[in-house]
Each structure stands twice: as C-alpha cells, then as structure tokens.
Amino acid sequence: MENDDSTRDQRNPTDGLLAVARRFFPDAVDIEPLTAGGRLGRVTVGDATWCIRRWPEGASIERIAFVHEALRVAREADVVVVPEVAVAVEGALAGHRTIVAYESGLFDAQSWMPGREATRIPPVTSAGGGQVSLPVAFPTPVVLESAGLIARFHAATMGTAVGSNRPTMTLRGFGSVSNRAWRSLQHRLDPLAPRLLPVRRWRAAGRRVVRDALAKIEEAGAEGEVADVVIHGDLWPAHVLTTRRDQALNVTGIVDWTDATAGSPLVDIAHLITHFGGWTPENAESVLAAYHDIRPLGPTERRLLPSVAALDLVAETGGLLQIGYFDEDELGQGQRSFVRTGADTLIRSLETLANVLEFGETSPPRQVRRWVHREPRGGKTARRRGGKGR
C-alpha cells in the first residue's frame, strides 16, 4: 500500500489549488492553472475573478502579512492599481486571516487585475522554472503614469514601512547585495569573457560602477540607511498591465508584489527608468519629474539615483548573460535571442551610467586622434579629404 506522500505526488496539482480556493471562496467549482506545479491559478466566483498564489519556498508568514498590509493600506488610499487581498472564510492561520497553509505551502488570494501586459515578448522560462524578466521600451506616457502611481503607493505606505517586524532593505544593504551578486556572477561568467564581447563589456562597466556607486552610497552616510516607504522591489514591464482607452494606453494594474519590502523609493524609480526604456538623461529626468510631482525627493536622493540604478543593472545584466549564454542549452533558439537582446539593452544603460558616475551627466572627454602628416607615395603633398593641402 502506498504511503500518503506517494499519493500526494501523483495527485493533480490543480486539485490542491482548488482546495485552497474553496477556503477563500466556498462556491468555487473550478480553477484554471496558470503555471506548472500548482503555484498559480485563476478562479471566478460570481462576477469576480481571483488569483490563487502559492508563495515561494522560504517566504515567511511575517513577510506575507507585511505585503498584504501594504496592499490593503494602498487600496484604502485609492491606489486601485494594486490587487485586493481576500480574507479566508475557513482554514486561515491564527492571527492572519489572509493566509492559508495547505500541504506545506502558504497561499493567498488576490484580485485578478484587469488589462494585459504591454509587452509583446512571449514568456521566457529559466532552467529553474521561473519566468525571466526582460527589459522592454514602454511608451513614454505609460512609464510616466506608472511613476506617478508608484509615487502614490509610496506615499500611502510610509506608515506601513515603520515597525520592528518589517522586511527591510536599506541602500547600504542594497549595495551589499548587488556587490555579492556581482562577484558571484563575475566568477561564473569569467570563462566566457575571451570569446563573448557582451560579457567583456559587462565586466568593464561593472568594475567602474561597483567601485563608484558603493563609494557614493557610503558617502551619503545616514541617507544610505533610510528605508521609509514600501517598495515593489522588482519592477519590470511584465508587472504593469494596461488597457487601451480613447486611443491611449492606461495603466490598470501593477502586480507581483512578492518582493515588496521597506526600502528606498530610488529602487523602484531606477527600475522604471532602466527596465522600461533605458537610462538616458531625458528618460531619467522625465521619470523623476513624474514621481516628484506626487512625492517630492530630496537633493541627496536625486544624487544617489544613478548609483542605485547602476548597481541594480550590474546584477540584472549578469543574470541575463548567465541565462542567455552560460545556460543556453536550457532555452529554445527564440528564447535565447530574447534574453541576449535584453542583456544587450541593459549593458548599454550600464555603460551610460558608468560614465554618469565618473563624469556626471556630461559625456566623457573624447580622446581626439591626432592628425599626423605623412608624405604620400609619389611625393605629393598630403591633403585632407575634401580640402586643400596644408
């Protein structure tokens, strides 16, 4: 006779999702699985559609409760582009009415946000089964609207970011995490550098960025320890949903708040610039202005933005290079192309930011090639192309 674990392994993962869904919505009769392994499903009850999510392994009850509280506070402040969190009618954890434990997993139910991803890139799945986040050039009005909505979320959740049990990521902590990722990825990708130009470009820019950005955050002193709002922490184009109205795209949802934490708003602002269009002075200023109109930033925060964006790009670019080249056998040809193109997009922003950190917003000094007079064959005087001899 088989034991309980064997029986569980042979069961359809959808059965587990439906069992969880019924703890939130007793009238649920069916569920649509959205990912393999029973981690995500969509259920419709009456006129409402909900997403049943199994949180990643290692996510603590305290972290999930923190995210739920931030979403609740934001919606009460009329930030309706974030999901509503459902309350379980049975089987909820003691003291946590929005969290259900089921067969060693922690689950919640969040409202299904309207709209669709504005990206036209098909999903790319890594060797580990997770979806790979890729940069996409978004229409400028959508990016600026997103910046204003994120600013409203930050303003609404300032009180939620305060507390002893909150997950926290200060700028100094962000720098330390990015530095560790840089060192680990560099060790992994170094063997590919002799034959791959993208890896060499990433290494060269990364060395400049890590040195300069960490120094600037350290110089900021107490400003580097500030974690005064709840941030999304992992904003990519796939997380912003839009609908078309009156010939224009409008943001209707900002989703996947799994990595939300108390932190600096600069992280989300940096993502909106580098992941949604690339770092240019024009993009940076327009996103900053859209954010500042809702929630003003201080001069030190503005000065630190390039450092935060650069450190984020070091880690994210290295991750895409690893997936696109080191783990290339795990991807199909089309997926490899998307990942490598995404890595190249981020490298260009990284190189631009390396110059910004070293030289400011002005371009680096150009090394002018000195013109050398040489006597041409036949003894005629050398002439500049299109001009007269000197």
Side-chain angles (χ1 to χ4, degrees), residues 133-145:
S133 296
L134 297 173
V136 176
F138 255 36
T140 298
V142 177
V143 179
L144 300 185
E145 183 184 3

Side-chain angles (χ1 to χ4, degrees), residues 198-361:
V199 174
R200 296 198 297 274
R201 290 172 59 195
W202 169 74
R203 285 197 317 178
R207 285 168 182 157
R208 297 168 60 195
V209 157
V210 170
R211 175 196 67 203
D212 294 342
L214 290 177
K216 291 181 184 298
I217 289 176
E218 191 63 31
E219 289 169 6
E223 293 285 350
E225 295 297 331
V226 172
D228 57 355
V229 300
V230 179
I231 61 172
H232 184 285
D234 192 36
L235 274 173
W236 289 88
H239 299 146
V240 176
L241 307 178
T242 62
T243 56
R244 186 171 293 278
R245 186 167 57 247
D246 297 330
Q247 304 302 312
L249 287 175
N250 298 100
V251 178
T252 52
I254 300 176
V255 298
D256 196 355
W257 293 83
T258 307
D259 294 314
T261 186
S264 166
L266 298 181
V267 175
D268 283 349
I269 298 171
H271 290 172
L272 285 169
I273 299 169
T274 57
H275 299 175
F276 288 71
W279 185 282
T280 66
E282 295 77 17
N283 284 349
E285 284 303 321
S286 61
V287 171
L288 270 173
Y291 184 95
H292 188 83
D293 284 345
I294 305 298
R295 183 179 180 274
L297 295 171
T300 302
E301 287 179 303
R302 294 176 66 94
R303 286 196 300 271
L304 287 176
L305 179 60
S307 299
V308 174
L311 287 171
D312 172 71
L313 284 177
V314 165
E316 297 293 356
T317 306
L320 289 187
L321 288 171
Q322 175 174 309
I323 294 169
Y325 292 97
F326 197 91
D327 302 330
E328 59 180 327
D329 292 339
E330 305 292 338
L331 303 174
Q333 180 62 43
Q335 289 189 321
R336 281 200 302 273
S337 176
F338 286 129
V339 172
R340 291 175 180 181
T341 299
D344 188 64
T345 298
L346 295 187
I347 287 171
R348 290 197 297 271
S349 286
L350 182 61
E351 290 172 332
T352 300
L353 278 162
N355 289 332
V356 169
L357 291 177
E358 188 170 356
F359 303 107
E361 289 291 357

Side-chain angles (χ1 to χ4, degrees), residues 26-90:
D27 295 334
V29 296
D30 194 16
I31 191 166
E32 176 190 358
L34 300 175
T35 59
R39 294 193 172 275
L40 203 66
R42 178 167 51 192
V43 60
T44 299
V45 181
D47 295 330
T49 304
W50 297 83
C51 177
I52 307 298
R53 175 193 301 273
R54 177 173 181 159
W55 278 70
E57 302 262 346
S60 67
I61 294 171
E62 291 75 21
R63 163 171 277 283
I64 300 172
F66 170 84
V67 173
H68 288 178
E69 177 65 9
L71 295 177
R72 182 191 67 79
V73 168
R75 286 190 66 89
E76 287 184 352
D78 204 31
V79 186
V80 295
V81 293
V82 304
E84 177 185 356
V85 182
V87 173
V89 297
E90 63 174 296

Side-chain angles (χ1 to χ4, degrees), residues 150-175:
I150 287 295
R152 289 179 58 197
F153 179 87
H154 289 173
T157 59
M158 291 178 66
T160 310
V162 179
S164 57
N165 293 326
R166 59 180 182 155
T168 304
M169 177 68 74
T170 65
L171 285 184
R172 283 179 172 172
F174 179 80

